[in-house]
Amino acid sequence: MALQCRLSGATFQSLKLATIPISSSSSRFIFRTLPKTLNLALFSRHSAPKAPPFSVLIRNLSAPAVAAAPAAETSDIKVVKPQWNAAIDFKWIRDNKEAVAVNIKNRNSNANLELVLQLYDKMLNLQKEVERLRGERNNVANKMKGKLEPSERQKLIEEGKNLKEALTTLEEDLVKLRDELQIEAQCIPNLTHPDVPIGWEDSSKLRNMVGSPRKFDFPVKDHLQIGKELDLFDFDAAAEVSGSKFYYLKNEAVMLEMALVNWTLTEVMKRGFTPLTTPEIVRSSVVEKCGFQPRGENTQVYSIEDSDQCLIGTAEIPVGGIHMDSIVAESALPLKYVAFSHCFRTEAGAAGTATRGLYRVHQFSKVEMFILCRQEESDMYHEELIKIEEDLFSSLGLHFKILDMATGDLGAPAYRKFDVEAWMPGLERYGEISSASNCTDYQSRRLGIRYRPSESPSTTSKKGKTNLAATKFVHTLNATACAIPRMLVCLLENFQQEDGSVIIPHPLRPFMGGVEAIYPKSR
Amino acid sequence: MKGKLEPSERQKLIEEGKNLKEALTTLEEDLVKLRDELQIEAQCIPNLTHPDVPIGWEDSSKLRNMVGSPRKFDFPVKDHLQIGKELDLFDFDAAAEVSGSKFYYLKNEAVMLEMALVNWTLTEVMKRGFTPLTTPEIVRSSVVEKCGFQPRGENTQVYSIEDSDQCLIGTAEIPVGGIHMDSIVAESALPLKYVAFSHCFRTEAGAAGTATRGLYRVHQFSKVEMFILCRQEESDMYHEELIKIEEDLFSSLGLHFKILDMATGDLGAPAYRKFDVEAWMPGLERYGEISSASNCTDYQSRRLGIRYRPSESPSTTSKKGKTNLAATKFVHTLNATACAIPRMLVCLLENFQQEDGSVIIPHPLRPFMGGVEAIYPKSR
């Protein structure tokens, strides 16, 4: 009632807004992509009453058209418009709803499949109704072309006008319905590879292990102590200048970071990947389309004040954006990129001893691999990516295990995810140094990246029309080739010597001017 | 009131004491406000100026020296954007969609060239006794201000992080300046010479026109920066040292450039004296700034709180009893660009382009690029 009192003559407008069914599920941030406009909707969605499903149709038949009132005046309950649309295959979801429901459950996602299906049904019905009315309006228009009595003409004009108003209202409702369907459906996580174990972290399956933990015959130091003694980093000054979890690298650590980046890029380029450096400030919509949530609670994403821009947490985002909203020739696939960038993460919600030193920081350098490929080939390229990682980390002499991550640990975009955990003797545990995900078409449906399968020669003709094959969505994959801080932890802790020095792995030496070890400096 | 008093006398004194206390509290509050306002106004006063600095605006800047001369081309000269397009070295269009204008991806040999430039520059400057660093690129806004920048001014160059007091750095000068914030350095530790590699972020608000095409003016770039903290008497000398290092670096790469002693109107608040290096960019048909070396004397150190204690003479130090500590002084700080990647890429691509569309890589960089001697057009 308060809504109506606030308005002076736009009451029906407010009713329209109030009766769009609003879902009441809460705490769904974890797995879904949030449109930017959710800020306002967050609170209203939790408090809005669940309206009866068919109110839209009922109301429309009785409401006369009104001039649109400015949205700002109308109500507390705002209809949320998604900033962008994902090309979601609703029909497929409906036809496979049991599988989708099981997947949602296994992934511990809070996506509301029931609501999506309801909205989809309503939308289909509304579409039919709109088409019917359009047909009637066309009939009326056709009738008016002939010779008519003035009174008959007048009746038709009236009828035409009523139909037009009703149509306008229905079309507006259709738009709102589509918007809400989008928002709900965007929450549905990607499907899961059949071999992926179901459960949480403990259920992740060991794919293989390389090497074994080094046996030390002297007390093992952690990377922080080594770094202090060799004057390799400064966390204290950074805490004053920037805050906790920031750091300066100094002396040989700087050269080591450069060598790691340089060597990694060179190695991956040899395997046919195109090297890139990327923007580290991107539009928040691109972040969302890749499956991250810039504005969720405990978001990992830094936002820039007074803008729609964010800092990237991984080069996956700007690289994913390169072919946004485009159709790639099939012959161009696979597109393989290896990108070097700095990455920024808020690490909100992360606490505890596992965050000491370089293990969890707000800013770091990373070399990332990214592949766009044909649908049938993504499993194969996933294997290729994890093989490259295995080769890189073995070359450096690390001991590590590769895990097939369980459904609860996948995150919304990944169809399948392999994590590499390397042995960190100073921390006395395995720590994640890399992750390789096959996102199939989850990101490409949001980023709008398609490919056109090559036409067979028989359908191409110089004269007349070419029969173009229908486009398909590419599959995208991403994998960490080198995350510098974790790599530094591994190298320092694994290759420390009793005299306090650290041996540089052979492959890196040429990229560091031939330096063979980092020695304690005499002071 | 400590002595023996009549009750009425005591009462009078108590009253008087109370009045005095209230008056004092008011005055002390006024003093705090006055000090605050004094600070705010005084912080606006720019640094002093070196006596040799020309007075005036950009046109008054004085030429210190010129190295090399413009290359003579016997074929039509392309600008770096065209060269980059033909050699598939950057992508501004995709970046405009993903991030906005003045952002870019580097591709293929341009990536290796950036890495070679950074690596070579760091190596060369390290040889001259500078400690290499990488730095945080997010810093507290107070540190930005203490270095002499204005995060929240109109047309600010500084990006701020939402819901925080943090900003993105526009230069490594800021986080390096902050390392010794609020501390007293031993005189024997000076000079402290750092060479820092970082990404830099600038809003470039208010910058417009043709001088902003392509890589010439961008929001994000890699830069190697030199920073020195030294004794007051030595800053002029280190300023000369820094500009000499720059001259050596740019000559080694085969660039033609001029070094300018910037006029007073162009100094900005922190600099006592500033030398700019402008290199010839044949594609843009003009000289473009590739580097800047500033002596900030004690402007930044008074804000950052960086002092040094002159070494005591042996006679005042005594194991028994008190040592006579010399009074602290403010260090002088200097900063100079060793390599700003995008402008360097403009110079290298435009100056070393060949008629066949290839670009020759300067010799010093080749070992840092796996021996690559040139960037060739790719057959498609």
Side-chain angles (χ1 to χ4, degrees):
Chain A
M1 295 306 282
L3 295 170
Q4 281 172 288
C5 296
R6 200 175 306 165
L7 307 168
S8 51
T11 46
F12 289 105
Q13 180 69 13
S14 68
L15 274 179
K16 258 197 278 205
L17 293 174
T19 51
I20 294 291
I22 295 168
S23 75
S24 58
S25 61
S26 58
S27 310
R28 303 195 357 210
F29 317 144
I30 302 178
F31 292 100
R32 67 174 177 171
T33 54
L34 289 180
K36 188 190 165 168
T37 48
L38 195 66
N39 285 333
L40 296 169
L42 261 178
F43 302 99
S44 55
R45 285 164 79 104
H46 295 174
S47 56
K50 206 156 186 152
F54 293 101
S55 60
V56 170
L57 290 173
I58 293 168
R59 191 229 343 106
N60 281 325
L61 293 173
S62 56
V66 297
E73 284 181 14
T74 46
S75 67
D76 290 335
I77 301 167
K78 291 202 162 44
V79 173
V80 180
K81 191 160 188 63
Q83 278 219 311
W84 48 270
N85 286 338
I88 294 174
D89 191 342
F90 301 111
K91 183 167 178 302
W92 190 92
I93 291 175
R94 185 192 63 190
D95 296 343
N96 293 274
K97 63 181 181 194
E98 286 85 23
V100 174
V102 166
N103 189 50
I104 287 174
K105 180 162 161 294
N106 287 340
R107 293 214 184 205
N108 212 48
S109 157
N110 291 334
N112 191 338
L113 181 59
E114 277 308 305
L115 181 58
V116 171
L117 296 175
Q118 271 177 34
L119 291 172
Y120 180 56
D121 253 352
K122 267 168 62 175
M123 192 197 76
L124 290 179
N125 289 333
L126 193 52
Q127 255 170 355
K128 284 201 192 103
E129 184 65 15
V130 164
E131 267 149 44
R132 189 183 68 78
L133 284 186
R134 280 195 187 133
E136 281 187 29
R137 194 181 64 177
N138 285 341
N139 282 341
V140 169
N142 285 335
K143 283 187 200 158
M144 299 224 300
K145 289 182 184 156
K147 211 166 175 171
L148 295 166
E149 290 289 326
S151 61
E152 273 182 33
R153 183 166 289 278
Q154 193 51 41
K155 260 209 284 186
L156 283 176
I157 289 173
E158 282 271 348
E159 199 180 333
K161 210 166 100 184
N162 289 338
L163 283 170
K164 180 177 168 185
E165 284 169 9
L167 204 52
T168 305
T169 309
L170 282 192
E171 280 166 346
E172 282 170 10
D173 289 341
L174 189 56
V175 164
K176 291 198 194 99
L177 204 56
R178 280 203 175 108
D179 285 348
E180 192 173 357
L181 177 57
Q182 255 299 310
I183 288 172
E184 295 301 326
Q186 280 180 16
C187 303
I188 298 175
N190 201 358
L191 291 173
T192 311
H193 189 290
D195 294 351
V196 170
I198 296 169
W200 285 102
E201 225 178 292
D202 303 332
S203 309
S204 298
K205 196 162 70 194
L206 181 71
R207 271 175 59 99
N208 66 320
M209 196 176 292
V210 172
S212 57
R214 170 182 165 193
K215 297 211 184 314
F216 287 87
D217 50 12
F218 57 88
V220 168
K221 300 172 188 163
D222 75 358
H223 71 279
L224 270 176
Q225 194 182 352
I226 299 170
K228 199 170 197 132
E229 291 173 7
L230 295 176
D231 198 21
L232 298 178
F233 11 94
D234 191 336
F235 278 85
D236 295 334
E240 294 301 314
V241 172
S242 307
S244 70
K245 298 199 188 63
F246 283 99
Y247 57 99
Y248 297 80
L249 290 184
K250 300 174 69 171
N251 297 312
E252 289 94 335
V254 175
M255 308 321 289
L256 192 44
E257 166 168 332
M258 305 213 57
L260 277 164
V261 171
N262 220 333
W263 171 74
T264 303
L265 275 173
T266 306
E267 283 299 302
V268 179
M269 279 166 67
K270 283 183 193 164
R271 289 159 164 89
F273 287 69
T274 300
L276 293 179
T277 63
T278 78
E280 290 156 8
I281 293 178
V282 298
R283 299 182 203 273
S284 58
S285 57
V286 182
V287 178
E288 288 163 5
K289 290 173 183 180
C290 290
F292 300 90
Q293 298 120 47
R295 307 207 179 258
E297 215 179 273
N298 275 353
T299 178
Q300 279 280 13
V301 182
Y302 284 103
S303 290
I304 304 287
E305 208 173 80
D306 296 332
S307 92
D308 69 340
Q309 292 168 318
C310 309
L311 295 181
I312 62 170
T314 163
E316 175 192 339
I317 297 170
V319 177
I322 292 177
H323 298 285
M324 244 176 21
D325 301 319
S326 60
I327 301 176
V328 176
E330 191 183 22
S331 55
L333 298 176
L335 286 161
K336 296 160 105 172
Y337 295 112
V338 56
F340 169 57
S341 79
H342 287 186
C343 303
F344 302 89
R345 301 189 183 184
T346 64
E347 298 295 350
T353 47
T355 66
R356 280 193 78 211
L358 290 174
Y359 193 82
R360 196 174 299 279
V361 288
H362 289 304
Q363 171 192 324
F364 56 98
S365 297
K366 182 164 67 62
V367 181
E368 183 81 0
M369 299 181 283
F370 196 94
I371 295 181
L372 299 94
C373 66
R374 291 161 57 236
Q375 300 182 345
E376 312 77 69
E377 298 182 326
S378 56
D379 278 339
M380 177 186 89
Y381 285 117
H382 199 196
E383 293 293 330
E384 179 175 318
L385 287 170
I386 195 65
K387 179 73 173 55
I388 293 175
E389 291 186 354
E390 203 174 319
D391 288 347
L392 291 172
F393 306 144
S394 307
S395 308
L396 293 178
L398 299 181
H399 160 49
F400 56 93
K401 50 185 180 174
I402 303 183
L403 303 167
D404 198 346
M405 301 311 282
T407 49
D409 242 357
L410 287 181
Y415 175 72
R416 192 176 199 185
K417 187 161 89 91
F418 299 140
D419 275 9
V420 180
E421 296 191 357
W423 179 241
M424 300 177 175
L427 292 173
E428 288 174 300
R429 66 202 237 331
Y430 289 91
E432 182 190 327
I433 59 169
S434 166
S435 194
S437 299
N438 178 2
C439 298
T440 63
D441 63 357
Y442 183 96
Q443 294 178 326
S444 58
R445 283 180 177 276
R446 287 156 175 72
L447 292 164
I449 311 175
R450 291 165 226 256
Y451 66 102
R452 191 178 300 286
S454 318
E455 303 103 24
S456 56
S458 58
T459 57
T460 314
S461 135
K462 283 230 162 90
K463 293 195 223 168
K465 278 180 142 179
T466 324
N467 285 338
L468 292 176
T471 59
K472 297 184 184 182
F473 286 100
V474 299
H475 277 198
T476 62
L477 301 97
N478 65 80
T480 325
C482 187
I484 299 303
R486 300 259 171 114
M487 201 55 75
L488 289 179
V489 173
C490 284
L491 296 183
L492 294 176
E493 296 190 356
N494 279 290
F495 303 133
Q496 60 183 293
Q497 306 300 305
E498 190 165 12
D499 64 1
S501 62
V502 175
I503 306 285
I504 306 291
H506 285 263
L508 299 177
R509 298 180 186 184
F511 294 86
M512 271 177 82
V515 168
E516 297 184 351
I518 304 175
Y519 297 101
K521 295 147 191 63
S522 43
R523 294 184 191 286
Chain B
M1 300 217 305
K2 288 181 186 163
K4 212 169 173 164
L5 296 165
E6 292 289 325
S8 60
E9 273 180 32
R10 184 167 288 277
Q11 192 53 38
K12 259 210 283 188
L13 283 175
I14 288 172
E15 283 271 347
E16 201 178 332
K18 209 166 104 183
N19 290 337
L20 283 169
K21 181 177 167 186
E22 283 168 10
L24 205 54
T25 305
T26 309
L27 283 190
E28 280 168 346
E29 282 171 11
D30 289 340
L31 188 58
V32 165
K33 288 199 197 96
L34 207 56
R35 281 205 173 108
D36 286 350
E37 196 176 351
L38 176 60
Q39 255 297 312
I40 287 172
E41 291 305 320
Q43 279 181 17
C44 300
I45 298 173
N47 202 357
L48 292 173
T49 309
H50 189 290
D52 295 350
V53 171
I55 296 170
W57 286 100
E58 223 179 293
D59 303 332
S60 309
S61 298
K62 196 163 69 194
L63 181 70
R64 270 175 57 101
N65 66 321
M66 195 176 293
V67 172
S69 56
R71 171 182 163 192
K72 298 213 185 312
F73 287 87
D74 50 10
F75 57 88
V77 168
K78 300 172 189 160
D79 74 359
H80 70 279
L81 270 176
Q82 194 183 350
I83 299 170
K85 199 172 197 132
E86 292 173 7
L87 295 175
D88 199 19
L89 297 177
F90 11 95
D91 191 334
F92 278 85
D93 295 334
E97 293 300 316
V98 171
S99 306
S101 69
K102 298 200 187 64
F103 283 99
Y104 57 98
Y105 297 81
L106 291 184
K107 300 173 71 171
N108 297 311
E109 290 93 335
V111 176
M112 307 321 289
L113 192 44
E114 165 168 332
M115 306 213 53
L117 277 164
V118 172
N119 221 331
W120 171 75
T121 304
L122 275 173
T123 305
E124 284 298 303
V125 180
M126 280 167 66
K127 283 181 192 167
R128 289 158 164 87
F130 286 69
T131 299
L133 293 178
T134 62
T135 78
E137 290 155 12
I138 294 179
V139 298
R140 299 183 203 272
S141 57
S142 55
V143 182
V144 178
E145 287 163 3
K146 291 174 183 178
C147 290
F149 301 89
Q150 295 125 45
R152 306 203 179 262
E154 213 179 273
N155 275 353
T156 178
Q157 279 280 15
V158 182
Y159 284 101
S160 290
I161 304 286
E162 208 173 80
D163 296 333
S164 91
D165 69 340
Q166 293 168 318
C167 309
L168 295 181
I169 62 171
T171 163
E173 174 192 339
I174 298 170
V176 176
I179 290 178
H180 297 286
M181 250 183 8
D182 301 319
S183 59
I184 301 174
V185 176
E187 192 184 23
S188 55
L190 298 176
L192 285 161
K193 297 159 103 171
Y194 296 110
V195 58
F197 169 57
S198 79
H199 288 186
C200 303
F201 302 89
R202 301 188 182 185
T203 65
E204 298 296 348
T210 46
T212 65
R213 280 193 78 211
L215 289 174
Y216 193 82
R217 196 173 302 277
V218 288
H219 289 304
Q220 172 192 322
F221 58 98
S222 297
K223 182 164 66 62
V224 180
E225 182 82 1
M226 299 181 282
F227 196 95
I228 294 182
L229 299 94
C230 65
R231 291 162 56 237
Q232 298 180 345
E233 312 77 68
E234 298 182 327
S235 57
D236 278 338
M237 176 186 89
Y238 286 118
H239 200 196
E240 294 294 328
E241 179 175 317
L242 286 169
I243 196 65
K244 179 71 172 52
I245 294 175
E246 290 185 354
E247 203 174 318
D248 288 348
L249 291 172
F250 306 143
S251 308
S252 310
L253 293 179
L255 300 181
H256 159 50
F257 55 92
K258 50 185 180 176
I259 302 182
L260 303 167
D261 198 347
M262 301 310 283
T264 49
D266 244 355
L267 287 180
Y272 176 73
R273 193 177 199 184
K274 186 160 90 91
F275 301 138
D276 275 10
V277 180
E278 296 190 357
W280 179 243
M281 298 176 177
L284 292 173
E285 290 175 297
R286 68 202 231 343
Y287 288 90
E289 182 191 328
I290 58 168
S291 165
S292 195
S294 299
N295 177 1
C296 297
T297 63
D298 63 357
Y299 183 97
Q300 293 179 327
S301 59
R302 283 181 178 273
R303 287 155 174 73
L304 293 164
I306 310 176
R307 294 165 223 256
Y308 66 103
R309 191 178 300 287
S311 319
E312 302 103 22
S313 58
S315 57
T316 57
T317 314
S318 136
K319 282 227 161 92
K320 293 195 226 169
K322 278 180 143 178
T323 327
N324 286 338
L325 291 177
T328 59
K329 298 183 183 182
F330 287 100
V331 298
H332 277 197
T333 63
L334 302 98
N335 65 80
T337 323
C339 186
I341 299 303
R343 299 254 171 118
M344 199 56 74
L345 289 178
V346 172
C347 284
L348 296 184
L349 294 175
E350 295 189 354
N351 280 291
F352 303 133
Q353 61 182 295
Q354 306 300 305
E355 189 165 13
D356 64 1
S358 63
V359 175
I360 306 286
I361 306 292
H363 285 264
L365 298 177
R366 296 181 187 184
F368 294 87
M369 268 177 85
V372 169
E373 298 184 351
I375 305 174
Y376 297 101
K378 293 146 191 67
S379 42
R380 296 186 186 284

